[in-house]
Amino acid sequence: MFKTNQVKLAIAPIGWTNDDMPELGGEVTFEQCISEMALSGFTGSEVGNKYPRDTKVLKKALSLRGLEIASAWFSSFLTSKPFEETADAFKEHRDFLFEMGAKVIVVSEQGNSIQGQMETSLFDHKPVFTENEWMLLLEGLHHLGDLAAEKGMKIVYHHHMGTGIQTTEEIARLMTGTDPAKVSLLYDTGHLVFSGEDHLAVLNTYMDRIHHVHLKDVRADIVKKVSEEKLSFLQAVKAGVFTVPGDGLIDFKPVFEALSAAEYKGWLVVEAEQDPAVANPFEYALKARQYIREMSGI
């Protein structure tokens, strides 16, 4: 399906050890995590909280296992803090990723976000940006895009549950309000389906803006439980709302077919945060790799 060398396949460390809830996988070492990634057949990784920040040390550990860094998450606070605070942190993050050879920088606006609040009901208290916050966000993202371009990099915006850009309508406003040369989109199957969006419609509408892809599956019964019991995002993750491709309700074949037909080039990243004590990360990484091979031919 995909042409030779069209895409590269990565997996995120969040299935081994969780950045938002360090108690999930707290005992798992960095070396175990990246070794099992490589054993599972992946060639790339995003960056977790246990990864060395010394680029020489990190490069050596990854190269021994045939791994590259695809990107890493950056929390912006464009709607809630002075721009300079976000810009200073962004430049440090950008320079680290540039040194590691990454081409894109994952950005998600965390002003008023509830994704990290353990007790806040996800579906009842999702933030909605004011007109002023939208202005700050769009202008700020353009500036971050300029900063990324200084290093020949792109920002890819991560729509995310519990934030001000989660729904199809919010993604549409982001896309229409930003310059395609400065702001690209990260396409995440799991967050769209969890939110109740048409993930294929979003993919096909913004295909030319998508420069990074997160492959994440969703368990329908847990989505129902989250809604009925008014659980938070973190509680949803603990309950197992996310899983790897091939283990939930999403059929990924149309996703792969659309990306292939559009000649998408870049990383496909399996990102499925679960409790590693419940869902063995090595086992699930192998499951994801086999499913992707069967569905896409890569």
Side-chain angles (χ1 to χ4, degrees), residues 11-12 19 84 88 91 122 142 179 195 230 239 256:
I11 190 166
D19 289 354
E84 291 71 26
D88 290 344
K91 284 185 276 191
L122 181 59
H142 280 143
D179 181 347
S195 179
K230 300 186 180 300
F256 294 141

Side-chain angles (χ1 to χ4, degrees), residues 87-253:
D88 290 344
F90 180 82
K91 284 185 276 191
E92 182 179 343
H93 186 75
R94 174 202 65 184
D95 293 348
F96 168 76
L97 284 177
F98 176 77
E99 182 64 26
M100 292 307 301
K103 305 297 184 189
V104 298
I105 305 165
V106 176
V107 175
S108 185
E109 175 60 23
Q110 292 300 297
N112 301 319
S113 169
I114 62 167
Q115 75 179 65
Q117 297 175 11
M118 185 60 75
E119 303 298 331
T120 304
S121 173
L122 181 59
F123 286 112
D124 289 345
H125 297 289
K126 192 197 95 58
V128 176
F129 291 141
T130 65
E131 288 302 313
N132 185 59
E133 287 169 340
W134 270 109
M135 182 189 71
L136 291 169
L137 176 66
L138 300 177
E139 289 182 358
L141 288 174
H142 280 143
H143 289 314
L144 296 186
D146 288 337
L147 291 173
E150 291 177 0
K151 296 285 189 177
M153 302 172 78
K154 292 179 181 290
I155 62 169
V156 287
Y157 191 91
H158 193 340
H159 56 89
H160 199 287
M161 295 295 292
T163 73
I165 298 184
Q166 169 186 310
T167 68
T168 302
E169 291 76 16
E170 290 161 347
I171 293 168
R173 183 159 184 185
L174 172 71
M175 292 289 92
T176 57
T178 51
D179 181 347
K182 297 185 179 187
V183 181
S184 299
L185 185 66
L186 183 156
Y187 172 71
D188 188 304
T189 53
H191 282 277
L192 288 169
V193 172
F194 189 4
S195 179
E197 317 303 316
D198 183 337
H199 67 290
L200 291 174
V202 171
L203 175 63
N204 289 313
T205 300
Y206 304 110
M207 184 69 79
D208 62 338
R209 301 283 295 272
I210 294 168
H211 292 284
H212 204 55
V213 174
H214 279 177
L215 303 174
K216 179 184 287 155
D217 216 333
V218 173
R219 294 186 174 100
D221 57 328
I222 307 298
V223 172
K224 188 170 182 243
K225 175 186 173 76
V226 172
S227 178
E228 290 176 349
E229 299 183 16
K230 300 186 180 300
L231 301 184
S232 68
F233 176 72
L234 297 182
Q235 288 168 336
V237 169
K238 279 187 167 183
V241 73
F242 293 134
T243 185
V244 297
D247 191 52
L249 65 88
I250 302 173
D251 177 3
F252 281 83
K253 191 157 192 181

Side-chain angles (χ1 to χ4, degrees), residues 69-80:
I69 290 299
S71 187
W73 171 283
F74 177 78
S75 294
S76 62
F77 293 91
L78 300 166
T79 63
S80 61

Side-chain angles (χ1 to χ4, degrees), residues 265-283:
K265 293 179 177 65
W267 286 100
L268 302 176
V269 185
V270 173
E271 190 211 33
E273 54 265 48
Q274 300 188 77
D275 183 347
V278 176
N280 181 278
F282 183 37
E283 177 186 346

